[in-house]
């Protein structure tokens, strides 16, 4: 294990199976935290059966299905996810080597074999690729006429996406929490946060600080005493019981935690620069003719003012 609790012999920290709203959302959270994340995406996507999406927050007049997919995949790659258009065929346990945790071995349709510490299941197809991990306990039977079919049981995972298989998290299928694209995206983010909570706890952080909140803070949040690293050290040390970790480990966890906190600090100038860049990146997904049409309209409005 390295200092971040990741196994250096693994290909990835996180494999996300499924590149829809829930999978991409989960990948954004794990990748932004710094976990090496890959999203495999090729299967039956429920969202692609829709004609148009009109209730995804942030799109006042709705958004086309392919445009939404392009935006999701672009976002995932922007924050560091590797996006691979391949179908996962099986996930099996990886044998542990020495003191290293086992994790998983993932096989894909196109012959890829990768190892990973965590697997996030976020695909709508039948979940057969997970059978090597839990057998029939993962599935429930459905009758269609004279035929009986097995499907992945959406209740196999708890409400936080955790499962009896250590390191396996399920975002989809998850019943009504996948019924709408925006709800599925929220579910993906929530389950990813639970994964990060478990990861941070394994690193040695106590339950009082093992939850991760992915936000950026303005300079004003670091004014006064909270702009002083020593004040953070005092607060952090108060979260631990005396015998919880060694002094050396405590110091390592403390400084890393404080480093992460201060990395979220943004000046007014940095906020403005990110706002401009964010809007420019959105333009990458707007039809060029519509951009030119709007530019002509703005030019005409400005000329009319003079």
């Amino acid at each position: 294990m390295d200092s971040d609790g990741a196994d250096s012999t693994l290909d990835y920290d996180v494999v996300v199976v499924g590149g829809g709203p829930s999978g991409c959302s989960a990948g954004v959270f794990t990748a932004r935290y710094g976990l090496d994340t890959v999203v495999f995406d090729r299967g039956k996507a429920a969202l692609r059966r829709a004609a148009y999406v009109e209730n995804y927050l942030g799109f006042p007049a709705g958004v086309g299905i392919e445009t939404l997919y392009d935006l999701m995949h672009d976002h995932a790659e922007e924050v560091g996810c590797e996006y691979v258009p391949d179908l996962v065929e099986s996930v099996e346990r990886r044998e542990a080597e020495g003191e290293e945790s086992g994790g998983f071995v993932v096989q894909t349709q196109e012959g890829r074999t990768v190892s990973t510490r965590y697997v996030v299941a976020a695909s709508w197809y039948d979940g057969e690729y997970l059978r090597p991990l839990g057998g029939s306990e993962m599935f429930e039977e459905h009758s269609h006429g004279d035929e009986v079919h097995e499907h992945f049981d959406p209740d196999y995972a708890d409400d936080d996406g955790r499962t009896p298989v250590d390191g396996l998290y399920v975002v989809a299928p998850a019943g009504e929490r996948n019924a709408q694209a925006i709800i599925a995206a929220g579910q993906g983010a929530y389950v990813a946060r639970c994964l990060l909570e478990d990861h941070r706890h394994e690193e040695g952080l106590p339950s009082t600080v093992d939850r991760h909140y992915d936000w950026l803070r303005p300079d004003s949040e670091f004014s006064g005493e909270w702009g002083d690293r020593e004040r953070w050290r005092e607060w952090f040390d108060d979260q631990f019981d005396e015998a919880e970790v060694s002094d050396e480990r405590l110091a390592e966890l403390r400084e890393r935690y404080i480093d992460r906190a201060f990395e979220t600090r943004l000046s007014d100038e940095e906020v403005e620069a990110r706002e401009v860049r964010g809007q420019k990146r959105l333009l990458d997904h707007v039809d060029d003719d519509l951009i030119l049409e709007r530019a002509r309209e703005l030019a005409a409005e400005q000329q009319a003012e003079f």
Side-chain angles (χ1 to χ4, degrees):
M1 292 282 183
D2 64 21
S3 60
D4 290 324
D7 187 340
S8 60
T9 68
L10 296 172
D11 297 307
Y12 297 98
D13 298 317
V14 182
V15 166
V16 179
V17 185
S22 60
C24 285
S25 184
V28 164
F29 272 71
T30 59
R32 278 179 54 81
Y33 184 78
L35 297 184
D36 193 9
T37 302
V38 61
V39 177
F40 288 108
D41 180 40
R42 187 191 294 165
K44 298 177 182 178
L47 180 57
R48 293 193 186 278
R49 302 206 313 260
Y52 195 73
V53 176
E54 293 190 315
N55 58 3
Y56 205 99
L57 191 65
F59 296 94
V63 59
I65 304 302
E66 293 307 317
T67 299
L68 181 57
Y69 265 97
D70 288 345
L71 284 162
M72 292 188 302
H73 295 165
D74 196 3
H75 192 170
E77 291 185 301
E78 174 77 15
V79 300
C81 289
E82 183 179 351
Y83 175 78
V84 180
D86 196 357
L87 181 73
V88 170
E89 291 195 326
S90 70
V91 179
E92 299 181 10
R93 272 296 187 190
R94 173 178 177 264
E95 292 185 8
E97 300 177 9
E99 297 181 356
E100 297 167 352
S101 60
F104 305 94
V105 175
V106 177
Q107 303 276 355
T108 74
Q109 190 176 66
E110 295 186 0
R112 293 180 175 89
T113 301
V114 301
S115 57
T116 182
R117 172 67 185 90
Y118 303 107
V119 169
V120 177
S123 62
W124 271 83
Y125 56 104
D126 62 13
E128 188 65 26
Y129 65 98
L130 294 173
R131 189 179 290 275
L133 297 178
S136 59
E137 293 182 3
M138 291 181 158
F139 297 83
E140 58 182 4
E141 292 184 348
H142 291 274
S143 297
H144 299 280
D146 295 331
E147 298 181 354
V148 177
H149 299 274
E150 283 191 329
H151 298 283
F152 188 83
D153 183 357
D155 293 326
Y156 183 75
D158 64 18
D159 288 341
D160 295 334
R162 297 182 174 99
T163 73
V165 179
D166 181 41
L168 172 65
Y169 297 78
V170 175
V171 174
E176 288 301 312
R177 294 187 298 278
N178 296 137
Q180 301 272 254
I182 194 166
I183 298 173
Q187 175 71 0
Y190 178 74
V191 172
R193 275 194 56 210
C194 293
L195 182 158
L196 292 174
E197 179 181 346
D198 295 343
H199 179 76
R200 286 157 64 89
H201 192 73
E202 287 183 12
E203 288 182 318
L205 292 174
S207 58
T208 50
V209 293
D210 61 8
R211 287 191 176 184
H212 173 64
Y213 295 89
D214 185 12
W215 53 25
L216 300 174
R217 300 175 175 91
D219 267 338
S220 58
E221 290 288 319
F222 292 84
S223 61
E225 62 177 342
W226 291 104
D228 181 1
R229 290 181 68 97
E230 192 57 40
R231 178 66 184 91
W232 282 83
R233 293 186 181 103
E234 293 172 1
W235 172 85
F236 187 86
D237 289 352
D238 287 342
Q239 309 308 307
F240 283 80
D241 293 330
E242 287 187 10
E244 227 166 338
V245 295
S246 68
D247 290 345
E248 181 180 354
R249 182 59 174 163
L250 177 62
E252 181 184 355
L253 291 171
R254 179 201 303 127
E255 295 310 306
R256 191 192 313 162
Y257 186 93
I258 298 171
D259 285 344
R260 281 190 180 275
F262 275 81
E263 285 169 3
T264 69
R265 181 178 185 173
L266 294 181
S267 67
D268 291 343
E269 292 76 17
E270 288 172 320
V271 171
E272 183 177 353
R274 290 186 183 220
E275 168 73 6
V276 171
R277 184 175 184 277
Q279 293 198 32
K280 286 183 176 180
R281 291 290 280 111
L282 286 176
L283 289 176
D284 292 340
H285 298 272
V286 179
D287 185 272
D288 290 345
D289 290 337
L290 293 177
I291 294 175
L292 292 172
E293 179 182 334
R294 182 56 178 154
R296 287 190 290 268
E297 291 174 353
L298 290 172
E301 291 171 6
Q302 291 176 350
Q303 187 173 10
E305 291 177 358
F306 292 100

